[in-house]
Amino acid sequence: MHAMQYELTLPAAYDTGIVRARVARVGHLLDDWAGLGVKAYLLRERGVHGSPVSQYAPFYVWNSTEGMNAFLWGGPFQGLSDDFGRPAVRQWTGLAYEEGVAAASPALFAVRHRAPVADGAVYAEVAAEAVEEAGRLARQDGAVLAAAAVDTSRWETVHFSLWEHGTPKADGDLFQVLHLSAPGRSALTGGRQW
C-alpha cells in the first residue's frame, strides 16, 4: 500500500466552484483505474470548518506502484499539471489500513493529520502507534475508512480517514470529499502492512 497527495493552494478570492465543476467533469475517470485503491477528491475552503486556506488536495491510497506510476506518467496527472501547474507530490509507505464502522456509507468528509517522527524515536514503537491509531479511527462513529503511512525522507507519519459526517473524532485538517473513486478498495489489505 502506498499513499500519495498533492496540494493546490488557491488564491483567497478563487472561485472554488471551478474545482467542483472540474471534479464533476473528470472525477469518474479514475473510477476503474487499475492499481488504485481509493482516491478522495478533497477540497477545503478558507473560513469553512476553520480552514485558513482554500485548497484542492486529492489523497490516494494505491494497491500498486504500477497503478500510481501509470497515473503520474501516463496522462491524468499531466492534465492537472497543465491546468494548475505542476505540484509537488508527497508519497508515503503504508503502515496500516482499516475499513471503518460506517464502511458502507458515502464519504462526505476527510481528515488528514501529519506528524513528525521525533529524533531518537524507536521506529517499531512509532509504527505500532500508527497502526493502533488507524484502528482507533476506524472504530469511531461515522468512520468510513482509516489509513496510516510514513514518509522516511521527511520522517513524518500521516493518518488519513474518511467520514460520513462533518464532526469526526480525529485531529487534523478537515476536507470536503467532492468525489470518491474506489476501484480497488476491496483489494486493500486490512491491518498492519508488514
Side-chain angles (χ1 to χ4, degrees):
M1 181 186 94
H2 302 277
M4 183 180 93
Q5 186 177 40
Y6 46 86
E7 300 170 330
L8 301 170
T9 301
L10 307 168
Y14 189 84
D15 177 5
T16 57
I18 295 169
V19 173
R20 292 175 189 281
R22 184 180 200 285
V23 171
R25 189 178 69 251
V26 301
H28 71 281
L29 297 176
L30 271 79
D31 287 353
D32 61 356
W33 193 269
L36 176 62
V38 173
K39 176 182 180 179
Y41 295 76
L42 305 180
L43 178 69
R44 61 182 179 153
E45 297 177 85
R46 184 177 181 189
V48 178
H49 300 292
S51 179
V53 297
S54 290
Q55 199 171 57
Y56 176 56
F59 196 97
Y60 303 73
V61 179
W62 295 96
N63 283 321
S64 73
T65 55
E66 294 84 2
M68 181 174 66
N69 287 337
F71 171 80
L72 289 170
W73 303 107
F77 185 68
Q78 184 71 53
L80 176 114
S81 295
D82 291 346
D83 290 347
F84 292 100
R86 183 182 64 193
V89 179
R90 301 288 310 277
Q91 296 182 32
W92 298 270
T93 303
L95 293 174
Y97 175 82
E98 298 289 347
E99 286 288 306
V101 295
S105 298
L108 302 178
F109 291 90
V111 176
R112 180 205 57 208
H113 182 261
R114 296 184 299 213
V117 175
D119 288 339
V122 176
Y123 304 134
E125 291 175 5
V126 171
E129 289 169 5
V131 170
E132 184 178 311
E133 177 64 2
R136 185 196 72 76
L137 289 169
R139 291 187 301 273
Q140 299 303 307
D141 178 53
V144 174
L145 65 80
V150 63
D151 175 350
T152 54
S153 72
R154 294 181 187 219
W155 289 106
E156 172 189 80
T157 59
V158 64
H159 283 93
F160 176 74
S161 50
L162 293 176
W163 302 84
E164 69 174 354
H165 56 72
T167 55
K169 292 184 179 172
D171 294 328
D173 299 318
L174 182 66
F175 295 86
Q176 301 166 55
V177 178
L178 303 180
H179 180 75
L180 187 69
S181 294
R185 180 176 168 185
S186 63
L188 287 166
T189 302
R192 191 175 106 160
Q193 300 292 306
W194 73 96

